[in-house]
Amino acid sequence: MTTYAVTGATGGLGGAAIAALIARGVAPSDLVALARDEAKAAPLAESGVTVRIADYEQPETLVAALTGVDRVLLVSGSEVGRRTPQHRNLVDAAKTAGVGFIAYTSLLGADTSPLLLADEHRDTEAYLAESGVDHAILRNGWYSENYAASAAAAVESGVFYGSAGTATVAPAARADFADAAAAAVIAPEPGRVYELAGSRHLTYADIAVVFGEIAGTTVRYQDLPVADYKAALLAAGLPEEAAEIVSDSDAGAAAGALDSSSTELDDLRGGAAQTPFADVIRAASAI
C-alpha cells in the first residue's frame, strides 16, 4: 500500500489533484490531505481522506503530518514572496519523515523564465536537487482559469486589455494539470522535469474572441504598454503587488514565456482530451 499526501488540499489545484488521484484508482483511505483550516477540509474528511492540519511556517506540524507518507505532491504555496522558506520547510519535513518521493508543481520553463514568479520556483527546484529526496518537477503553464477573471469586464466594456502583444500562450485547465500531477505521483520517475502546457496556442486577440462568442457579443483586444497596464490594474483596485505580478506576467507572455510546444501534459495524462479553453471560461466566469 502506498500513501500519498497532497499539500494545499483545500486550494484549487490541491483539491483537484486529490479528486484526480481518486479517479485514477487511489483509495481515499490512502490519501493524506494537508491543510491549515480544518473546517475547509471537512468535505475531504467526509469522503474518507485523512486530513492532517499543517502549516508551512510551523515545521513541527509538517513532520507530524508527513509521518507514514510515501509520496508527496507539493503544490506550490499561494503566498508570493514567502514561498521559498515555506517550500524548504516542507522538503525538510519530508526528508525527516522518510518520504520517498516528492512531485513539485513549478512554473513552465522555470529555469529560464523572465517572470517574477519564476524566482521562488527556481529556488525550490534547486533546494529539491540538493535535498537528496527523489523528486520530479511539474512545470505548469498558465491556467485557463487565470483569464476567467477578466472575462466579465471585457464583455461589459467590449475590450480585453493586456500587454502580451501578438504572442501566443498555451493555457490548460487546472483540472488537467491536476490530473497530470496525479499521474506523476502514482508512477514516479525521479529526476524528470515535465514542461506542461496546453495544446491550443492562443493570442490575447483570440481570447477576446472567445469571451465575445460565449457572451454573444463582440470583444476586441487592446494591447497596452506594461506600465500603462499596471496603472490600469491599480486603478481597477488591484493591490500593488498583484498589479506588478499580473503586468509582469503579461510582459513574460509577450516574450513567449507562457507558450510551449511540449506535449508532456498529454503524455502524462495518457492522451486524455484537454478541457477546451472556452469550456473553462464558461464555467469559471460570470459571463
Side-chain angles (χ1 to χ4, degrees):
M1 182 183 72
T2 301
T3 301
Y4 304 84
V6 177
T7 72
T10 60
L13 184 60
I18 288 175
L21 284 162
I22 293 171
R24 285 181 171 270
V26 176
S29 58
D30 293 335
L31 289 171
V32 175
L34 271 58
R36 288 184 291 187
D37 188 325
E38 189 170 6
K40 287 180 67 175
L44 291 170
E46 291 168 3
S47 71
V49 173
T50 298
V51 173
R52 295 181 183 172
I53 303 306
D55 189 320
Y56 282 130
E57 296 186 353
Q58 297 180 23
E60 67 280 4
T61 68
L62 296 173
V63 174
L66 292 175
T67 297
V69 169
D70 300 301
R71 301 174 193 167
V72 172
L73 174 59
L74 171 51
V75 176
S76 54
S78 60
E79 297 172 283
V80 176
R82 300 169 66 181
R83 294 190 288 186
T84 293
Q86 290 176 345
H87 295 166
R88 289 186 176 200
N89 285 343
L90 189 289
V91 173
D92 289 345
K95 189 172 182 177
T96 299
V99 169
F101 178 78
I102 298 172
Y104 170 63
T105 62
S106 185
L107 177 71
L108 186 67
D111 54 337
T112 59
S113 175
L115 271 65
L116 289 173
L117 290 174
D119 290 342
E120 292 176 304
H121 290 298
R122 278 192 288 267
D123 289 343
T124 301
E125 289 188 12
Y127 198 70
L128 276 165
E130 297 165 2
S131 72
V133 179
D134 283 346
H135 63 278
I137 305 298
L138 302 162
R139 290 179 173 169
N140 289 350
W142 230 229
Y143 299 154
S144 299
E145 286 86 349
N146 289 354
Y147 295 104
S150 303
V155 167
E156 183 178 358
S157 67
V159 183
F160 171 43
Y161 293 99
S163 293
T166 59
T168 55
V169 295
R174 182 185 285 110
D176 293 347
F177 286 121
D179 185 45
V185 78
I186 288 172
E189 294 189 41
R192 283 291 302 269
V193 176
Y194 300 94
E195 299 288 352
L196 305 177
S199 57
R200 185 177 178 190
H201 305 273
L202 302 167
T203 64
Y204 275 31
D206 294 330
I207 292 172
V209 169
V210 171
F211 291 165
E213 289 177 344
I214 293 171
T217 187
T218 299
V219 178
R220 64 179 178 84
Y221 173 60
Q222 177 64 55
D223 196 63
L224 299 174
V226 174
D228 291 351
Y229 183 44
K230 179 181 176 182
L233 293 169
L234 290 169
L238 261 69
E240 170 71 27
E241 183 180 40
E244 177 69 16
I245 289 171
V246 172
S247 58
D248 174 78
S249 297
D250 263 26
L258 297 181
D259 198 13
S260 174
S261 60
S262 171
T263 64
E264 290 185 305
L265 179 61
D266 288 342
D267 296 342
L268 256 180
R269 300 182 62 229
Q274 293 185 18
T275 308
F277 180 77
D279 289 357
V280 175
I281 300 303
R282 285 191 188 93
S285 71
I287 59 174

